[in-house]
Amino acid sequence: MSDALNPEAPETPVIPEETEEEPIKQRKNGLYPGVSDELAENMKSGWADTELHDLRPIPQAENTAARRAALSARFPGERLVIPAGNLKTRSNDTEYAFRASVEYAYLTGNQTEDGVLVMEPTASGHDATIYLLPRSDRENGEFWLDGQGELWVGRRHSLTEAEKLYGIPASDVRELSEALREATGPVRVVRGYDAGIEAALTDKVTAERDEELRVFLSEARLVKDEFEIGELQKACDSTARGFEDVVRILDKAEATSERYIEGTFFLRARVEGNDIGYGSICAAGPHATTLHWVRNDGAVRSGELLLLDAGVETHTYYTADITRTLPINGRFNELQKKIYDAVYEAQEAGIAAVKPGAKYRDFHDASQRVLAEKLVEWGLVEGPVERVLELGLQRRWTLHGTGHMLGMDVHDCAAARRESYVDGTLEPGMCLTVEPGLYFQADDLTVPEEYRGIGVRIEDDILVTEDGNRNLSDALPRRSDEVEAWMARLKG
């Protein structure tokens, strides 16, 4: 980073805090280090009008309006406050890339820091207002002297532009805290994103009532609308292309490390989407037995397997979550194929169990039964299978649940009640992963030596439909012979 305006000044200078005795707009420019009165006056004028007049609503504006209507119906007569969150410091004067809270983005479509959606109760429901930072003030020098001014970080939408884009009246967020302090009547806030907003509501809210709001917004996302399904399909399609990218560069990864794989997939995510939906797991060889291996600093060796668990996140925050276990040299050996085919068979059983009216746990139980049968068949655990399942003995090697809801979070709807989620029933519009796996740790002395260090997982993103399910990630092959043929084509 550089300070082109004043090489002697620190990077991203910040306007001193405003005081009652000396408001920023009245402060003499000479008080800013390195800024002359003449330069400060010059920077106030000579700028073109950049207001955008020909704006259309965002594609999901009708969907976000329907979501707000459902929220309004659930909490009549109550003020509802849903913050986007603030920038978080990464180190010193640099921040992490900002990602708005899922609750806020789900209800507004907006993704800017410091935003807050407020639903004011009325006799007929609620009036929604989106509170945002307006354009940087050029009169007081904020736009070029403040480290978060538009000259430094880029243009913001004006409040008028925001109203057109999101279909919600917009106001200056800097006035919101005081307004909330003075507000009366019942209030709920989504906690954990904006400490300033929470502080303004300290005496007006309770943890129990706020948790009810969070749970409702989590459960509202269990069933996806058509816009969300389209975004999830986009995410899966981009992710499939990212996996193809990885296969094409496996020879380069062998010469470097798992990080070549990580970087290759990340390029696809950034070119076609907003980001990766979660830390990519690029686990080669024995690292595949570590469920969340995200260090990605290990060797990539011919003859071993690569477990690649990765997902592109779209510009609207919907993420894919796909895993393929690939032979690095393009061909499974006999034992690798045996283990892989067992996991594939378990996944097939799990996917078949995904349908309307089925219990959420059914696909997990179906997959676990197949894996338990294989472990008994191979002599790795003593049967019968019913005993293994009753005691959970297969879990030494299957380890994790067989899937989870998917959406704007990779583990979506996490605050939903058990009766609505894990103990609930599948409905059309739900989207979940089916991802059985077998993992034989490198130090597991209970299995033959040749098994040790082999990990296999296959994961797809499955939409519950009216008559069954649809695999959103079926652009990627799953059967072992199809995987080998696909890799051969890509490696040419």
Side-chain angles (χ1 to χ4, degrees):
M1 299 182 198
S2 64
D3 185 345
L5 294 176
N6 181 10
E8 296 181 357
E11 292 187 356
T12 58
V14 178
I15 295 176
E17 290 185 6
E18 185 174 334
T19 66
E20 291 183 4
E21 295 77 16
E22 192 174 29
I24 287 175
K25 290 185 178 180
Q26 297 178 6
R27 190 178 292 130
K28 292 184 178 180
N29 298 310
L31 291 179
Y32 302 137
V35 177
S36 67
D37 290 349
E38 290 79 3
L39 175 57
E41 192 64 30
N42 177 274
M43 291 295 285
K44 293 180 182 180
S45 61
W47 305 101
D49 180 9
T50 61
E51 184 76 9
L52 304 175
H53 300 285
D54 189 21
L55 289 176
R56 297 182 177 181
I58 58 173
Q60 67 269 43
E62 291 186 3
N63 303 82
T64 55
R67 297 165 193 168
R68 293 192 300 275
L71 176 62
S72 174
R74 172 61 180 83
F75 298 104
E78 302 185 54
R79 181 176 289 103
L80 309 173
V81 182
I82 301 94
N86 316 123
L87 290 172
K88 291 183 171 58
T89 300
R90 180 178 184 271
S91 178
N92 191 24
D93 59 349
T94 60
E95 292 85 23
Y96 287 104
F98 179 74
R99 189 182 191 276
S101 75
V102 165
E103 294 87 350
Y104 174 84
Y106 177 75
L107 292 168
T108 67
N110 179 258
Q111 300 177 7
T112 55
E113 65 269 18
D114 302 325
V116 183
L117 173 68
V118 177
M119 306 275 287
E120 292 283 349
T122 67
S124 59
H126 286 82
D127 286 339
T129 302
I130 188 170
Y131 288 85
L132 302 166
L133 285 173
R135 298 290 309 280
S136 291
D137 192 327
R138 301 200 178 198
E139 184 64 28
N140 70 2
E142 173 195 353
F143 92 105
W144 68 289
L145 288 169
D146 190 315
Q148 291 301 317
E150 290 181 315
L151 186 143
W152 289 98
V153 300
R155 184 187 187 278
R156 295 192 286 264
H157 283 298
S158 71
L159 298 181
T160 300
E161 292 169 353
E163 290 182 353
K164 293 177 181 177
L165 287 169
Y166 307 111
I168 313 171
S171 294
D172 189 337
V173 71
R174 294 172 297 189
E175 302 169 359
L176 179 58
S177 290
E178 185 60 30
L180 290 176
R181 288 190 186 95
E182 297 175 357
T184 59
V187 185
R188 297 178 192 258
V189 63
V190 177
R191 300 190 182 204
Y193 297 115
D194 193 318
I197 294 297
E198 290 179 37
L201 294 169
T202 297
D203 299 327
K204 306 175 188 296
V205 295
T206 67
E208 182 180 1
R209 286 165 47 77
D210 292 346
E211 180 65 10
E212 288 175 351
L213 172 60
R214 189 174 78 104
V215 167
F216 173 82
L217 290 172
S218 190
E219 292 183 1
R221 303 198 309 275
L222 283 167
V223 176
K224 271 57 181 179
D225 59 37
E226 288 303 313
F227 176 84
E228 294 179 287
I229 293 169
E231 290 299 293
L232 286 166
Q233 186 64 70
K234 286 182 189 176
C236 288
D237 293 345
S238 288
T239 300
R241 289 188 284 273
F243 276 58
E244 292 174 349
D245 296 338
V246 167
V247 171
R248 291 188 180 101
I249 57 83
L250 280 176
D251 57 336
K252 295 182 176 64
E254 287 187 58
T256 52
S257 77
E258 295 163 337
R259 292 204 171 171
Y260 204 100
I261 295 168
E262 179 183 2
T264 298
F265 185 83
F266 181 69
L267 177 61
R268 178 66 66 173
R270 287 292 282 165
V271 167
E272 295 193 1
N274 177 57
D275 207 330
I276 51 176
Y278 53 96
S280 299
I281 298 169
C282 308
H287 289 162
T289 65
T290 300
L291 295 183
H292 289 165
W293 177 261
V294 293
R295 299 180 203 171
N296 299 333
D297 58 0
V300 179
R301 304 181 185 89
S302 179
E304 296 185 334
L305 298 177
L306 166 69
L307 190 157
L308 177 59
D309 184 337
V312 171
E313 177 186 83
T314 67
H315 294 290
T316 55
Y317 288 175
Y318 290 86
T319 185
D321 182 8
I322 303 172
T323 305
R324 290 294 182 270
T325 304
L326 309 174
I328 293 166
N329 64 10
R331 302 286 295 183
F332 293 101
N333 66 32
E334 184 177 349
L335 180 59
Q336 291 169 348
K337 185 176 185 302
K338 181 176 82 167
I339 296 170
Y340 183 95
D341 288 348
V343 174
Y344 171 76
E345 187 177 330
Q347 193 200 27
E348 282 283 272
I351 292 174
V354 175
K355 53 191 174 184
K359 294 296 184 184
Y360 174 81
R361 295 178 182 271
D362 287 353
F363 75 95
H364 169 74
D365 293 341
S367 291
Q368 289 290 299
R369 175 170 291 277
V370 172
L371 295 177
E373 290 171 350
K374 296 297 181 181
L375 292 166
V376 171
E377 177 186 325
W378 299 340
L380 301 182
V381 63
E382 183 180 348
V385 170
E386 293 300 336
R387 167 183 171 273
V388 173
L389 292 170
E390 181 181 354
L391 299 176
L393 302 179
Q394 82 284 359
R395 292 180 58 185
R396 181 182 178 102
W397 303 284
T398 65
L399 298 181
H400 55 79
T402 307
H404 50 79
M405 291 295 180
L406 186 67
M408 297 182 83
D409 280 327
V410 65
H411 297 140
D412 208 27
C413 314
R417 295 165 297 171
R418 290 184 65 88
E419 59 265 31
S420 299
Y421 189 169
V422 295
D423 291 337
T425 301
L426 296 181
E427 300 177 37
M430 290 182 170
C431 187
L432 52 92
T433 67
V434 178
E435 51 176 310
L438 282 173
Y439 311 91
F440 300 103
Q441 305 301 317
D443 59 350
D444 188 349
L445 301 181
T446 71
V447 299
E449 185 175 359
E450 60 269 24
Y451 283 75
R452 298 172 198 166
I454 295 178
V456 173
R457 180 164 67 251
I458 311 171
E459 177 182 18
D460 284 88
D461 301 342
I462 309 300
L463 174 70
V464 183
T465 62
E466 294 288 346
D467 57 356
N469 68 66
R470 174 158 61 94
N471 186 344
L472 300 180
S473 48
D474 65 358
L476 289 170
R478 294 184 296 124
R479 216 173 59 204
S480 57
D481 59 336
E482 293 174 343
V483 168
E484 291 177 338
W486 171 71
M487 293 183 69
R489 286 196 304 272
L490 292 173
K491 296 174 92 170

